[in-house]
Amino acid sequence: MSNTVETQSVEALVKQFRELDQKISHINSILGLLSWDKDVMAPKKGRSIFANAIGTLSTENFKLTVSEEMGSLLEELSKPDVNATLDEVTKAIVRERKRDYDKSKSIPAELYNEFVVLTNNAGVAWAEAREKNDFSIYQPFLEKIVAMRKQFAEIVGYEGHPYNALLDDFEPGLTVDTLTPLFAQLREKSIELLNRIQASPHQPRKDIFSREFDVEKQKAFNRFLLPKLGFDMDGGRLDETVHPFAQNVNTGDVRITTRYLKDNVRSAIFGTIHEAGHGMYEQNVNPDFNGTGIVGGTSFGIHESQSRFFENTVGRSREFWNHFYGDLKEHFPAELADVELDEFYRAINAVEPSYIRVEADELTYNLHIMLRFEIEKALMAGEIEVKDLPKVWNEKMEEYLGITPPTDTLGVLQDVHWSFGGLGYFPSYSLGNLYAAQLFYKIKEEMPEFDSVIENGEIPKIKDWMKEKIHQYGKFYTPGELIVRVTGEELNADYLVKYLEEKYSEVYKL
Amino acid sequence: MSNTVETQSVEALVKQFRELDQKISHINSILGLLSWDKDVMAPKKGRSIFANAIGTLSTENFKLTVSEEMGSLLEELSKPDVNATLDEVTKAIVRERKRDYDKSKSIPAELYNEFVVLTNNAGVAWAEAREKNDFSIYQPFLEKIVAMRKQFAEIVGYEGHPYNALLDDFEPGLTVDTLTPLFAQLREKSIELLNRIQASPHQPRKDIFSREFDVEKQKAFNRFLLPKLGFDMDGGRLDETVHPFAQNVNTGDVRITTRYLKDNVRSAIFGTIHEAGHGMYEQNVNPDFNGTGIVGGTSFGIHESQSRFFENTVGRSREFWNHFYGDLKEHFPAELADVELDEFYRAINAVEPSYIRVEADELTYNLHIMLRFEIEKALMAGEIEVKDLPKVWNEKMEEYLGITPPTDTLGVLQDVHWSFGGLGYFPSYSLGNLYAAQLFYKIKEEMPEFDSVIENGEIPKIKDWMKEKIHQYGKFYTPGELIVRVTGEELNADYLVKYLEEKYSEVYKL
């Protein structure tokens, strides 16, 4: 295949570009599977050896995305007169590849390979540190990760705050300046609402979820529930990991994980619904996009809008449990013998400051995110050091949520994200809540029978709406284009504030 | 990386060669994992989509193995004066890469693609023919496969019999002239022994394995047994597939599968021990060989020697069950209530001519292989025609085993191997038995307490002997070098003949 592109017809250029894009996309699909395997299947001793093989393939793929061939093709296909003649799909692929190319071109391949090997090993160290409640095992890896992230930010370049370079990786175009007022509005309202909730005399029962729920029965219930949400079991898997996640291999192979805690039946149920939300997004992308650069969700924030919409807006609604509580009681007749539907509903919507982000309620969750946002911003600005993180973490927990984690395992070591270098990732979760609320008021407008659809257990109808509006497009539209296209307005915090106010007024009789 | 190698120092050449070798080896490791995932984990809808991604990576790797860069490097590093200066490991890698290069390079790409398409279609035709018991559906495809195999043999070149070109694919250096007398000796002795066995009044019980054994209890027993054999569970996995296999990813990640049949408890036990034999070979290769072309077993025959040694020589021995029968009875107290240890031991060593190779006992198994060997040899020499295979097959079954398959499905259509072009593969199975017996008498010489080691359940000590003598070397030695090095003599049939005579004299009181 020739690197000389100038003399070719547009048709020939497109053919060459689409072939190169396909090769990269195929390798990305493979790398997705390898990442899943590492977390779910690989035996202990093989992981660090295999990290080298993953490093080799990542590096090869990285080289393709920043190759001279890719550069020349993108240059030609981005010229306005040429670009205008392209079909819409190719145009979107060019846009996505160009974004990758521009970001990555400046990172030397050896540095990138070093980063891949580092993060693979950091994942192993994180797991051990977490298990042993010993931050010092993880610290040197995290220090290197932060140092390399800073180095990358300087190389790639940014305007304003260095953290902007990272935010843009997860939500194209997002900046500290945009995020700060959205979070400020949400934070102010959340704390005000939290105070009213804590003062309410109508507190939910707290004893329900401190009981033991047999893990095998939990597995049975989750396997019963998953397909009823609209997740296609012939095009996916459900496995177990310490930290649940969703991984797409292609639109016919989407793998989600959950975890079962015998003393916390909620954890697996809402974890499964959450990951199913991610998974259904990936399963319902236009299958023609397989093997192209626009397969998969368009941003982390939009992805989280899907997981959170299904987990919280649908899964924690009164109507959802009007339908499914009977099934749950069938699985746990003894454990739930003395629990009425209304008590169960209010208990799963209980608001209480807690240590673990993934176990947090819908309201305080965003406060966990803001804590991480502040820490990441400060790390990138060099205002704090990695070695001080356990202390900083605990101080901020006290400040935002009024509680202090008794161990680092319940504190700074709880999340996997930093171990794979994912600084800038956390804000996506709260963005997801913001998008989800905005979509919620839109779907209620277009589907007035929304509540009864849930109550009848017809969740796949809601999935179909999301497929039509969001899923099918993959990365064809940018997140900014998509939210305006679907809801008619840009992202704002009004809907989430409204949603939280309405929901908790009902639950807590405020 | 430059393709110009002539002007470089040997040191620089070696560095370039080792880097290229590592890249190919890493991708091979990944392709191994992907193949495992396809058979064990991938959801239905994703498989055909993902086949395209696997195809892309396989093609890229094939291109690297036959690249101009590889060709130039091998040419330089194979020059006697240069080769003499190389370290022993690099020398072995050069030998292995050159073997691949010479074999792959000579087949024109179009011809190879034609063969791939043909074998894909042949696989479908074979499955249909087998299901419908109609050889004529498969015949035209098999005719083309044989014709193309002959064509490849002519292109690649061979000395003596054209079948030698195929044998060499699976057992480097093996020829018809070597194999024919070995098999002749083994066949004569096996048939003679079979006649005596069938005439013996001391026949084993046949009712034990037509009982139902709970599958969950079978799983528990296999998971109990596997680590006791010396298979490292921190460096491997045990999963389930319809067709059991072992797949190495690296020396710290070796994945084996088994299958559980409720009406055949033997199937899983001996299947697991067999695959554990393959798996322990891969786990115990020198870990420094990871990421090089000499990681993994040195030939199909030596690999089979390990699986068969553990399955039959160890796993079907009286001493093995002296140790483990109590454990087995604990798992199946009701099913085995009326079965004494001696009855069990003799039942798992029952000899009976049967139609299906994979279900055959240790003695008659080799007769199934010789039948296939004779047919493949004659096909390659043009002495018989594909259309006559059902007739030839049944005649040979009668001649060797004294039975005639009632249908072609139970005869010539039973094996998948020819449909993917794998002529030359079958002899590996009996080579495995020949090697295993030769190793058996050597280990008994060097470890006089061999029987009591098994009886004490110290199977890992036997694994350690194999590690020291065979496993650690990977492909560093060729199979021919290895067997002489370990046993002091070239492969011969005397030991297997002796082993079978001794074993069945005891079991059948001959």
Side-chain angles (χ1 to χ4, degrees), chain A residues 241-260:
Chain A
T241 50
V242 173
H243 193 96
F245 66 90
Q247 176 66 55
N248 63 317
V249 177
N250 53 57
T251 62
D253 185 351
V254 179
R255 307 182 182 196
I256 69 173
T257 70
T258 195
R259 66 168 169 184
Y260 301 99

Side-chain angles (χ1 to χ4, degrees), chain B residues 35-304:
Chain B
S35 165
W36 172 86
D37 187 89
K38 174 172 66 64
D39 289 340
V40 185
M41 292 292 156
K44 199 165 72 178
K45 288 186 182 169
R47 273 178 232 158
S48 60
I49 303 171
F50 199 64
N52 296 318
I54 296 178
T56 292
L57 193 61
S58 299
T59 303
E60 287 304 301
N61 217 31
F62 183 77
K63 283 182 188 165
L64 291 174
T65 61
V66 296
S67 61
E68 279 182 39
E69 183 186 5
M70 180 60 91
S72 309
L73 286 166
L74 287 173
E75 194 184 333
E76 287 299 309
L77 295 174
S78 299
K79 286 178 179 166
D81 57 328
V82 177
N83 196 265
T85 69
L86 302 179
D87 65 280
E88 294 303 308
V89 166
T90 302
K91 212 181 276 183
I93 299 171
V94 167
R95 184 197 70 219
E96 288 298 312
R97 286 283 167 228
K98 190 159 179 359
R99 214 177 107 76
D100 275 5
Y101 180 87
D102 290 344
K103 279 198 184 262
S104 304
K105 189 67 184 170
S106 50
I107 309 286
E110 308 74 46
L111 204 60
Y112 185 76
N113 285 340
E114 193 186 324
F115 188 66
V116 169
V117 173
L118 169 62
T119 53
N120 271 311
N121 294 329
V124 177
W126 167 74
E128 191 190 342
R130 190 169 182 260
E131 195 185 316
K132 295 184 176 163
N133 186 39
D134 182 354
F135 183 76
S136 71
I137 296 168
Y138 183 35
Q139 184 187 319
F141 294 93
L142 189 53
E143 281 167 350
K144 278 184 206 149
I145 284 171
V146 171
M148 289 195 80
R149 270 290 174 217
K150 285 183 188 170
Q151 192 180 358
F152 286 6
E154 294 305 324
I155 292 172
V156 171
Y158 56 86
E159 287 183 23
H161 201 287
Y163 189 51
N164 289 344
L166 277 62
L167 287 176
D168 190 72
D169 280 349
F170 300 97
E171 205 67 10
L174 186 71
T175 63
V176 166
D177 284 349
T178 308
L179 203 51
T180 303
L182 288 181
F183 275 8
Q185 179 187 355
L186 181 59
R187 184 173 64 232
E188 187 191 338
K189 284 296 190 175
S190 296
I191 292 174
E192 186 265 334
L193 183 54
L194 178 59
N195 289 336
R196 279 190 287 143
I197 286 170
Q198 290 186 304
S200 167
H202 305 286
Q203 295 294 323
R205 277 177 68 171
K206 289 186 179 174
D207 63 319
I208 302 170
F209 300 119
S210 52
R211 300 168 182 192
E212 196 165 306
F213 286 74
D214 180 71
V215 165
E216 289 308 313
K217 286 193 246 167
Q218 289 193 44
K219 289 183 188 178
F221 182 73
N222 279 271
R223 296 204 160 273
F224 158 82
L225 186 62
L226 185 55
K228 297 207 181 294
L229 302 173
F231 184 87
D232 181 358
M233 295 304 294
D234 287 336
R237 296 180 52 89
L238 173 64
D239 294 280
E240 284 175 59
T241 50
V242 174
H243 303 288
F245 66 91
Q247 175 67 54
N248 64 318
V249 177
N250 54 58
T251 62
D253 185 351
V254 179
R255 307 182 182 196
I256 69 173
T257 71
T258 194
R259 66 166 168 184
Y260 301 99
L261 305 174
K262 70 176 178 198
D263 58 351
N264 187 348
V265 72
R266 275 180 305 191
S267 174
I269 294 173
F270 293 104
T272 299
I273 303 174
H274 181 95
E275 301 306 336
H278 284 303
M280 290 189 289
Y281 190 177
E282 296 291 339
Q283 286 185 330
N284 291 298
V285 171
N286 183 343
D288 291 345
F289 295 174
N290 281 309
T292 79
I294 59 170
V295 75
T298 192
S299 74
F300 284 74
I302 297 287
H303 234 302
E304 279 297 310

